[in-house]
């Protein structure tokens, strides 16, 4: 009897100790989690929101500032370095290529002057009041070297008339512009080579020491006195060319 009771106490004590160890193991497995004080969803939203420095900055536009004007193309006539006169027009050239022209027929004087002004600068009025064998004429001159105006006595009605009286001129912006007539005729040179290359009927040497040569003729004219040509007139006192004029008539005596 005594032995049995002692055995039961021993078993009961062992069970109590085992239960105590089991409960102690559950509470001593590791430290308790530390609370951050904010739900996990709030932390995620905060991380996804960019800071002011990360956001795109918008620069205000001044509505009073006008847009920049588009660049304008350069005027080709402002580069002219050569003018060649024929019986019907001025050919305006730059580096050997034609960049414009001034026709003498079907062109008003104001339009012709405007085109030449773009190429050569502002001209000086240089007209005539008229007189014996001279029509009243409105004319403009660039340095006394190149002239253009209304018709003169030997020019057809409705046509402008033009003259070259120098081999070159200098523009206000410093360009040197060479001036010549048909076949490369240049003021200041001898007329002899031109006379040699021109049909005799287009040469008038009847005035003492003066030679006039018709070149680039537009038409041939005949009357009871002589044969004439309407085109470019090369005027050469004492063998030297002083004037190239067009369009005019050769052999037309007033």
């Amino acid at each position: 009897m005594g032995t049995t009771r002692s055995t039961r106490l021993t078993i009961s004590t062992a069970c109590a100790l085992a239960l105590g160890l089991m409960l102690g193991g559950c509470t001593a497995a590791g430290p308790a989690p530390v609370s951050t004080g904010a739900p996990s969803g709030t932390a995620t939203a905060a991380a996804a929101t960019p800071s002011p420095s990360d956001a795109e900055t918008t620069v205000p536009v001044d509505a009073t500032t006008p847009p920049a004007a588009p660049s304008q193309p350069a005027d080709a006539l402002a580069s002219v370095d050569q003018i060649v006169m024929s019986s019907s027009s001025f050919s305006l050239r730059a580096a050997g290529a034609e960049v414009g022209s001034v026709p003498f027929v079907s062109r008003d004087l104001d339009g012709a002057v405007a085109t030449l002004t773009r190429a050569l600068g502002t001209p000086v009025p240089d007209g005539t009041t008229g007189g014996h064998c001279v029509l009243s004429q409105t004319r403009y001159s660039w340095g006394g070297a190149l002239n253009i105006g209304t018709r003169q006595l030997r020019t057809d009605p409705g046509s402008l008339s033009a003259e070259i009286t120098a081999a070159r001129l200098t523009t206000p912006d410093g360009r040197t512009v060479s001036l010549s007539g048909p076949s490369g005729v240049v003021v200041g040179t001898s007329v002899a080579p031109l006379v040699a290359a021109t049909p005799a009927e287009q040469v008038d040497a009847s005035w003492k020491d003066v030679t006039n040569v018709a070149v680039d003729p537009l038409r041939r004219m005949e009357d009871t006195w002589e044969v004439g040509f309407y085109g470019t007139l090369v005027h050469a006192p004492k063998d030297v060319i002083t004037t190239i004029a067009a369009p005019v008539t050769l052999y037309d005596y007033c």
Side-chain angles (χ1 to χ4, degrees):
M1 216 29 213
T3 304
T4 302
R5 183 178 180 184
S6 175
T7 302
R8 289 179 180 172
L9 287 174
T10 301
I11 293 173
S12 297
T13 302
C15 290
L17 289 173
L19 180 62
L21 290 173
M22 291 176 62
L23 291 178
C26 291
T27 58
V34 179
S35 174
T36 59
S40 59
T42 303
T44 303
T49 302
S51 65
S53 61
D54 295 332
E56 181 179 354
T57 303
T58 301
V59 179
V61 177
D62 186 355
T64 63
T65 303
S71 59
Q72 298 298 321
D75 187 353
L77 293 179
S79 62
V80 166
D81 56 18
Q82 181 184 24
I83 295 181
V84 178
M85 184 171 72
S86 69
S87 296
S88 57
S89 68
F90 280 133
S91 173
L92 311 181
R93 305 178 184 182
E98 184 174 89
V99 294
S101 65
V102 178
F104 301 145
V105 180
S106 301
R107 181 65 181 268
D108 64 283
L109 180 59
D110 288 345
V113 170
T115 299
L116 288 170
T117 296
R118 288 166 57 193
L120 304 176
T122 304
V124 175
D126 182 32
T128 58
T129 57
H132 179 65
C133 290
V134 177
L135 291 179
S136 178
Q137 185 185 32
T138 301
R139 191 172 74 168
Y140 295 88
S141 177
W142 283 264
L146 183 146
N147 310 312
I148 192 167
T150 54
R151 67 178 290 258
Q152 55 169 292
L153 183 65
R154 295 179 293 164
T155 302
D156 287 348
S159 175
L160 302 177
S161 62
E163 290 181 347
I164 289 176
T165 57
R168 65 190 59 84
L169 62 79
T170 302
T171 64
D173 61 0
R175 281 175 293 121
T176 297
V177 180
S178 64
L179 309 172
S180 61
S183 302
V185 177
V186 178
V187 169
T189 61
S190 171
V191 76
L194 180 63
V195 171
T198 304
E201 64 178 358
Q202 292 175 219
V203 179
D204 177 16
S206 59
W207 293 87
K208 184 179 180 179
D209 294 332
V210 176
T211 301
N212 291 312
V213 183
V215 294
D216 189 29
L218 298 176
R219 67 176 183 266
R220 187 174 188 270
M221 304 178 300
E222 295 186 31
D223 57 28
T224 57
W225 295 96
E226 60 203 353
V227 175
F229 294 88
Y230 185 74
T232 300
L233 175 69
V234 177
H235 182 65
K238 298 183 179 180
D239 188 59
V240 178
I241 299 172
T242 60
T243 305
I244 306 170
V248 296
T249 302
L250 179 66
Y251 301 154
D252 181 58
Y253 300 104
C254 178

